Amino acid sequence: MKFQFQFIDKKQGTIKDDILSGLTVSLALVPEAVAFAFVAGVSPIVGLYGAFMMGLVTSIFGGRSGMISGATGAMAVVMVSLVQKGNALGDMQGLQHLFAALILAGIIQSLFGVFKLGKFIRLVPHSVMMGFVNGLAIVIFLSQLNMFKSGGEWLHGTSLYIMLGLVALTMAIMYFLPKLSKAIPAALVGILVVSAIVIFGNIETETVKSFIQAGGGRGIKAGLPTFNVPVIPFNIETLKLILPYSLILAAVGLIESLMTLNLVDELTETRGSGNRECVAQGTANIVNGFFGGMGGCAMIGQSIINIKSGGRGRLSGIVAAIMLLMFILFASTYIEMIPIAALVGVMFMVVIGTFAWSTFNIINKIPVSDLIVIVLVTGLTVIFDLAIAVLAGVIVSALVFSWENAKRIRARKSIDEHGIKHYEIFGPLFFGSTTLFQTKFDVQNDPYEVIVDFKESRIMDQSAIEAVNKLAERYQKVGKTIHLRHLSKDCIKLVKKAEKICDVNVVEDPNYFVAIDHYNRLTKQKAG
């Protein structure tokens, strides 16, 4: 994949880079965690705790150094319904049910990694990946527009101009500073410079504190998270309530995390471990459930900020998480003074870097089906959520692939000097091509001896085996002899009456496996 992340250097990080990058990310995590907590209907502190624990656990144990995890909007929109249903039970049970759902979701995610199912992310096509980054870029952009509101109303007049000016200044610093020096992350410099201008210039604009207060919170100051078992009834009714949400949370979290992992792999030209990341994400969500955080998954925006700022090692994520905790414990007053405009400017630069601008260059150079998938995944990511978008994209891509390959089955026909008709099969034989395969044969008019050669074909699944059996039965019903050549050993075992119709050649016959579950049962029975 080649996305246009020109503003990211493919270099090895240093301890200094990791520390400064981690500090930059921690500042960007604050408004995001608070905003997503409001979306989920929980306290801002729960969101901040969630970001801290997700970031710390996944940075230490995850499968991808340099990737940042925290409270995310994709999971928050799933949580809101669960919190509402829990609160409807009385005694504000919504939060406790959320913690229980996170524990169960974490167990599911961990098992996904233990059984090494993370490898299935490789089935995601390039077109789906492009739609994924484009959709998330748009989602990040739209989420930042809410920062241009005050008291639920859009900014206007002088307030709007000040906000736009500060955002533009932050973006300008991030764009031009790397051309002069890369000693300090440009995002960090932008945040500090704009904050200094606002504080010392006594400029009236939205800050982290006013943003939190506008959402109904008081601030970000709090103590250490404490261990608690969710206070809910442990019965089948509770399980019925939280299980569907746990499954969705686990799926959304893993898809976003594994897709982000692939993206960071591409940016850094290194490779992470999907299975290890699954276990780390699950463990982090379990910890959140017991220590009062809202959980989450990998964050593409903060991950790109980290990579752009030079963060490459695990230390960057660890520093980001610990600094976030330090803000909560000791530095809340100072963090609350940071202008929202500075953080919006950083996220707008992330949007520019995230969006795959190469999409516009390849519109006329790729198949229409791939273009449709890109648009589909982008749209569904914006309208619904990431899990639905990626699954829909993979399904459409798989159907297109199956349709195209189904049309590739061909048969070369010839009659030798002995009057025997030969069918040489070309192309894959699988569920999508079995119908076309059957039309290649003229059973009624063929001579009494027919040879079907699969040397240039491949039996792909059980549907193909049944197609071969059906073909043999058609010839045998009219009293004609059929010979099958160059089938793999396991195919021969699964073809009915194989000893009569299969010509076995141990030198030329292929050796691959099809319908593997059925084949394994047969071999076990034979061994027994």
Side-chain angles (χ1 to χ4, degrees):
M1 294 179 296
K2 293 296 180 185
F3 301 119
Q4 293 193 359
F5 288 88
Q6 300 96 333
F7 74 138
I8 293 176
D9 293 324
K10 295 179 173 63
K11 64 176 183 177
Q12 295 297 321
T14 64
I15 293 178
K16 183 205 76 173
D17 290 338
D18 282 346
I19 292 175
L20 292 177
S21 178
L23 176 59
T24 306
V25 170
S26 65
L27 294 173
L29 279 171
V30 174
E32 295 286 303
V34 171
F36 296 142
F38 287 147
V39 170
V42 299
S43 166
I45 297 301
V46 175
L48 292 168
Y49 281 161
F52 158 65
M53 287 181 280
M54 287 300 304
L56 184 63
V57 174
T58 56
S59 293
I60 296 174
F61 303 106
R64 171 71 266 176
S65 60
M67 191 167 76
I68 303 297
S69 294
T72 60
M75 296 186 71
V77 295
V78 179
M79 297 173 184
V80 60
S81 177
L82 174 60
V83 172
Q84 291 174 348
K85 288 183 178 181
N87 288 337
L89 299 176
D91 298 325
M92 298 301 288
Q93 284 288 300
L95 190 58
Q96 298 300 317
H97 281 78
L98 172 59
F99 294 153
L102 283 174
I103 293 171
L104 184 55
I107 293 172
I108 295 170
Q109 290 178 322
S110 296
L111 291 175
F112 201 87
V114 168
F115 290 108
K116 301 187 183 304
L117 301 178
K119 61 187 177 183
F120 287 107
I121 196 65
R122 301 172 193 166
L123 297 178
V124 177
H126 180 237
S127 54
V128 174
M129 192 67 182
M130 292 191 76
F132 158 76
V133 295
N134 290 346
L136 279 187
I138 295 173
V139 169
I140 293 172
F141 174 77
L142 295 176
S143 70
Q144 297 308 303
L145 295 182
N146 292 324
M147 305 297 184
F148 287 84
K149 291 182 179 181
S150 179
E153 299 292 331
W154 291 100
L155 296 176
H156 59 277
T158 304
S159 298
L160 177 60
Y161 299 141
I162 291 175
M163 182 79 166
L164 291 173
L166 295 174
V167 169
L169 176 59
T170 306
M171 296 176 69
I173 292 173
M174 290 186 64
Y175 181 79
F176 290 107
L177 182 60
K179 300 179 183 298
L180 302 175
S181 173
K182 298 180 181 179
I184 302 177
L188 179 58
V189 174
I191 293 172
L192 294 178
V193 169
V194 172
S195 298
I197 292 174
V198 170
I199 294 170
F200 295 110
N202 199 26
I203 297 175
E204 186 175 345
T205 186
E206 291 293 308
T207 62
V208 171
K209 183 175 183 177
S210 64
F211 174 74
I212 295 174
Q213 291 175 339
R218 296 181 179 179
I220 66 171
K221 185 173 180 58
L224 288 169
T226 56
F227 178 84
N228 287 289
V229 177
V231 184
I232 58 171
F234 291 93
N235 52 40
I236 191 66
E237 286 75 20
T238 300
L239 181 62
K240 288 180 180 178
L241 174 60
I242 68 173
L243 181 58
Y245 291 98
S246 295
L247 290 171
I248 297 173
L249 288 171
V252 171
L254 286 183
I255 290 174
E256 183 159 0
S257 297
L258 293 175
M259 295 284 277
T260 303
L261 182 145
N262 273 5
L263 186 59
V264 176
D265 282 355
E266 176 70 21
L267 298 181
T268 59
E269 296 184 349
T270 58
R271 183 168 181 174
S273 170
N275 293 320
R276 183 174 175 179
E277 186 62 34
C278 292
V279 175
Q281 291 287 333
T283 303
N285 277 310
I286 293 172
V287 171
N288 268 275
F290 282 117
F291 283 88
M294 69 175 284
C297 61
M299 306 179 76
I300 186 172
Q302 277 65 22
S303 296
I304 290 178
I305 291 174
N306 188 45
I307 298 300
K308 180 197 178 307
S309 300
R312 296 292 186 273
R314 295 183 182 277
L315 181 61
S316 60
I318 295 172
V319 169
I322 292 177
M323 288 306 300
L324 183 59
L325 180 62
M326 293 300 102
F327 297 159
I328 297 171
L329 297 177
F330 309 115
S332 59
T333 302
Y334 304 105
I335 299 304
E336 290 170 356
M337 296 169 66
I338 295 175
I340 288 295
L343 302 173
V344 171
V346 172
M347 295 309 295
F348 277 171
M349 289 300 289
V350 169
V351 169
I352 294 172
T354 302
F355 194 89
W357 300 101
S358 58
T359 304
F360 299 110
N361 297 329
I362 63 174
I363 288 179
N364 298 323
K365 302 175 184 178
I366 60 175
V368 175
S369 59
D370 284 343
L371 182 60
I372 291 174
V373 169
I374 293 174
V375 174
L376 175 68
V377 174
T378 301
L380 291 178
T381 300
V382 175
I383 298 172
F384 297 103
D385 61 54
L386 177 65
I388 292 176
V390 172
L391 289 175
V394 171
I395 290 172
V396 171
S397 297
L399 291 175
V400 171
F401 175 81
S402 298
W403 176 257
E404 292 298 324
N405 278 274
K407 297 186 294 184
R408 293 183 179 178
I409 195 76
R410 296 178 294 111
R412 180 188 295 164
K413 308 167 188 178
S414 62
I415 298 178
D416 63 20
E417 65 274 14
H418 303 293
I420 300 174
K421 189 168 185 178
H422 294 255
Y423 287 90
E424 295 179 75
I425 308 302
F426 296 84
L429 181 58
F430 66 108
F431 68 91
S433 59
T434 53
T435 301
L436 186 59
F437 170 76
Q438 295 288 352
T439 65
K440 302 297 181 182
F441 300 90
D442 188 2
V443 177
Q444 295 298 327
N445 298 317
D446 277 350
Y448 282 94
E449 193 160 4
V450 173
I451 296 175
V452 182
D453 194 333
F454 289 91
K455 187 175 183 178
E456 301 298 331
S457 179
R458 179 160 180 169
I459 307 294
M460 304 295 290
D461 57 13
Q462 185 64 32
S463 296
I465 288 290
E466 291 305 317
V468 173
N469 280 324
K470 184 177 180 180
L471 178 66
E473 291 172 0
R474 289 171 60 195
Y475 276 102
Q476 290 170 345
K477 278 183 180 180
V478 295
K480 297 179 181 180
T481 302
I482 181 174
H483 298 273
L484 307 179
R485 286 184 177 173
H486 296 112
L487 288 178
S488 66
K489 295 178 181 178
D490 62 308
C491 288
I492 293 173
K493 285 179 168 57
L494 294 172
V495 173
K496 297 174 183 177
K497 301 180 181 178
E499 67 279 2
K500 295 183 179 179
I501 63 176
C502 293
D503 294 341
V504 178
N505 185 322
V506 295
V507 176
E508 295 185 6
D509 286 349
N511 186 21
Y512 57 81
F513 297 101
V514 65
I516 194 68
D517 292 335
H518 191 185
Y519 179 53
N520 286 338
R521 287 198 298 271
L522 288 177
T523 54
K524 287 180 180 178
Q525 292 172 2
K526 185 176 180 180

